[in-house]
Amino acid sequence: MSLSRGLHRAPRRALVAVGVLSAALALSACGDDNGVTGGGDTNFVTSKGGISTAPKGERAGINQIAGETLEGEKLDVADLKGKVVVLNVWGSWCGPCRAEAPHFTKVANDLKGEDVAFVGLNTRDANKQQALAFEADYKVPYPSLYDRDGKLILFGFPKGTLSPQGIPSTVVLDKEGKIAARAVMAIDETKLRSMIDPLLKEK
């Protein structure tokens, strides 16, 4: 194979990957499926409220989830190990994301001083200004990584784990940085706390 042919194929593969990612996000955007389970040979447990959990001894770690926030700061989720970490996938264009935003703001403010960190994963916003306006409107008190093309969402969570499956989705990591719970719908304060509180009590 010639060097020129190899150079032409590499961008093509990248475009295919981006296309697959865009299609996946489009199909799952703003879903409200309450019946998603881990699938395969997993031991995930899904409650009637649509929140899936993994037993403590069977949780998987995440891949790298790091980059630039909407405010232009560097953030690496790995640096938050030792805290329960709430990862919320959202977009300013998403109606269910707007519905759940006040609940996330309230819980994040209520839990200040606790061993909890909130990080948003903002996706499919064409520019940061739309997302920043969303954060201002809902007084969001925590940072969001800017993941316009969804690469962090696609590659940040190992296959077969409780990974985000739609927009909005929420994944909660235990204090060891492992995936403990997931919701694939807009959630309220009660459901959000039900994902966080048991992990705060773990030793």
Side-chain angles (χ1 to χ4, degrees), residues 11-154:
R12 192 175 182 179
R13 285 194 296 270
L15 287 172
V16 169
V18 171
V20 170
L21 172 62
S22 298
L25 287 175
L27 287 172
S28 60
C30 291
D32 60 357
D33 184 1
N34 290 340
V36 176
T37 60
D41 296 324
T42 62
N43 291 313
F44 304 155
V45 177
T46 304
S47 72
K48 291 181 180 179
I51 296 172
S52 302
T53 59
K56 185 175 183 180
E58 300 174 16
R59 296 170 187 164
I62 58 171
N63 298 326
Q64 186 178 42
I65 300 178
E68 189 173 285
T69 68
L70 291 171
E71 291 77 20
E73 303 291 331
K74 297 295 183 183
L75 189 155
D76 189 338
V77 171
D79 293 337
L80 301 174
K81 191 173 290 187
K83 296 183 177 183
V84 174
V85 180
V86 180
L87 300 171
N88 178 243
V89 178
W90 65 278
S92 67
W93 46 269
C94 170
C97 300
R98 292 192 292 273
E100 72 175 5
H103 299 281
F104 276 76
T105 293
K106 183 178 188 306
V107 175
N109 284 327
D110 288 349
L111 293 179
K112 279 183 179 177
E114 301 288 339
D115 289 332
V116 183
F118 283 71
V119 177
L121 297 176
N122 172 255
T123 190
R124 291 182 64 197
D125 270 314
N127 61 69
K128 291 183 178 181
Q129 294 309 312
Q130 296 166 318
L132 287 168
F134 177 102
E135 288 191 331
D137 287 344
Y138 293 101
K139 298 180 174 60
V140 177
Y142 51 85
S144 283
L145 288 165
Y146 185 47
D147 189 26
R148 184 181 65 179
D149 298 323
K151 292 179 181 178
L152 295 178
I153 299 167
L154 182 65

Side-chain angles (χ1 to χ4, degrees), residues 174-195:
D174 64 19
K175 293 180 182 180
E176 296 179 357
K178 296 183 177 180
I179 303 169
R182 176 193 66 188
V184 290
M185 59 194 172
I187 55 177
D188 60 15
E189 177 184 353
T190 300
K191 288 183 177 180
L192 180 55
R193 285 184 175 275
S194 77
M195 299 171 72

